[in-house]
Amino acid sequence: MDDFLPERQASGKPGTKASVRHAKFTFLLAVVLCAALIAVGCGPGSAPMVDSEDDTAVPEAAAAEPEEADTASREPATEEASAEDAEPAESTEVAEAEPEPVSDPEPDEAVVEDPPDWTTHVFVDGGYYVLGNPEAEVSILDAGDFL
Amino acid sequence: MLRVEPLLIENYVAAGTVNLRFNHVLDHGGASERASAATECAGQQDPYSFWTMHNHLFENISSLFSANVDTYVGYAEGLGLDTDAFGSCMADPAVLDKIRAQHDYRTNELNIRRRPAFLINDSVYQGGLPYDAFERAIAEAMN
């Protein structure tokens, strides 16, 4: 045992410097490796970030879809709502428009009113059956016999 | 007037610038009275029927000398008039009085001796007039 220990000590003493060098080398190697790992992207922080990005991207997309779906579903809802909002407006417009056509024909009727067919209009004046316009500028009396 | 009347109706009456009235003249006794009475009885049922009967009589003028009351009732039936009412009217003396009064107005008030004759507004035209004479007379009456 003692031999062994001195050997170890003996070997240790002259090996202390070596062990220090070995430790430094090992440390440097570890630093380099760690730096290399970090550079490669396998660092402790990078891997989760990528994963988190992937994970986030999917949920975002998934979340976006529902959002889009919501949006899409809202859009019709909004359209429906706007349509519903518009319907009363349209109905109001229709209600406003309805009187217009009703009111338009009235003046049209008044303006476009066809003149009477004076050739079939007969009125009685002084015992005569008068054919034509009572307000005519000219009145012709035909004094005649049928025979 | 028989020939120009359709033109006057088409060009002036339809436009509302001229109206027409017929004054009975009874130059042929009972035949004239029956024909005039037929127009008055048609007019009693419907004023426009006075003119439809008036036109029908001028279209059948050749048969009017020999026409009796039944003939006119047949005309009335052809025009869609109530023949019973028409027959009663033809026997109504008031109708004869009315047409005689018009004949007297033409002779005594308008002093018309010729036939045909026309009163265009206040101007009397005796004898037949061509259409262009009516046009000039109407133009003068409108000025």
Side-chain angles (χ1 to χ4, degrees):
Chain A
M1 287 291 292
D2 290 339
D3 292 338
F4 177 77
L5 288 174
E7 285 180 0
R8 288 183 61 187
Q9 290 175 354
S11 63
K13 282 183 181 177
T16 301
K17 290 180 181 177
S19 65
V20 170
R21 290 176 183 172
H22 181 74
K24 287 180 180 179
F25 176 77
T26 304
F27 175 76
L28 289 173
L29 181 60
V31 169
V32 169
L33 289 173
C34 184
L37 290 173
I38 291 171
V40 171
C42 297
S46 62
M49 287 177 66
V50 172
D51 292 341
S52 65
E53 286 176 0
D54 292 340
D55 294 340
T56 305
V58 173
E60 282 179 359
E65 289 176 355
E67 284 178 358
E68 290 177 359
D70 291 342
T71 304
S73 63
R74 285 173 189 172
E75 286 176 353
T78 305
E79 289 177 355
E80 289 176 1
S82 62
E84 289 175 354
D85 294 340
E87 284 178 359
E90 287 177 356
S91 62
T92 305
E93 291 176 359
V94 170
E96 292 175 356
E98 285 176 354
E100 289 178 356
V102 172
S103 60
D104 286 341
E106 289 176 355
D108 287 345
E109 287 176 358
V111 173
V112 183
E113 184 177 351
D114 292 333
D117 181 5
W118 297 121
T119 64
T120 59
H121 184 268
V122 177
F123 63 99
V124 180
D125 179 34
Y128 293 104
Y129 294 99
V130 185
L131 177 67
N133 180 7
E135 305 297 328
E137 295 180 63
V138 179
S139 181
I140 296 178
L141 183 144
D142 177 10
D145 194 333
F146 289 104
L147 287 85
Chain B
M1 188 66 170
L2 180 61
R3 294 176 182 174
V4 302
E5 188 178 277
L7 291 174
L8 291 175
I9 292 174
E10 179 181 356
N11 296 327
Y12 292 100
V13 174
T17 55
V18 170
N19 61 43
L20 297 177
R21 62 192 70 202
F22 186 84
N23 188 96
H24 298 289
V25 175
L26 309 172
D27 284 349
H28 296 280
S32 294
E33 291 176 349
R34 286 189 292 274
S36 291
T39 58
E40 288 294 324
C41 290
Q44 281 189 8
Q45 294 192 31
D46 172 33
Y48 182 66
S49 292
F50 173 93
W51 287 93
T52 55
M53 180 65 82
H54 160 279
N55 296 338
H56 186 72
L57 297 187
F58 275 125
E59 291 168 0
N60 296 277
I61 195 168
S62 61
S63 62
L64 297 184
F65 283 98
S66 59
N68 56 30
V69 172
D70 291 338
T71 305
Y72 290 108
V73 171
Y75 290 162
E77 184 176 15
L79 297 178
L81 300 176
D82 181 340
T83 54
D84 290 338
F86 185 87
S88 299
C89 176
M90 288 291 288
D92 186 352
V95 173
L96 188 59
D97 290 344
K98 177 182 177 181
I99 60 178
R100 284 177 176 170
Q102 287 191 7
H103 174 86
D104 292 342
Y105 169 76
R106 167 254 192 185
T107 303
N108 300 330
E109 300 292 330
L110 300 179
N111 200 27
I112 293 174
R113 296 288 186 257
R114 295 178 61 186
R115 181 169 61 89
F118 308 95
L119 180 66
I120 301 178
N121 281 358
D122 295 327
S123 301
V124 175
Y125 297 83
Q126 298 198 50
L129 296 177
Y131 179 71
D132 57 349
F134 273 100
E135 286 185 314
R136 289 193 297 272
I138 291 169
E140 289 177 6
M142 294 177 71
N143 292 328

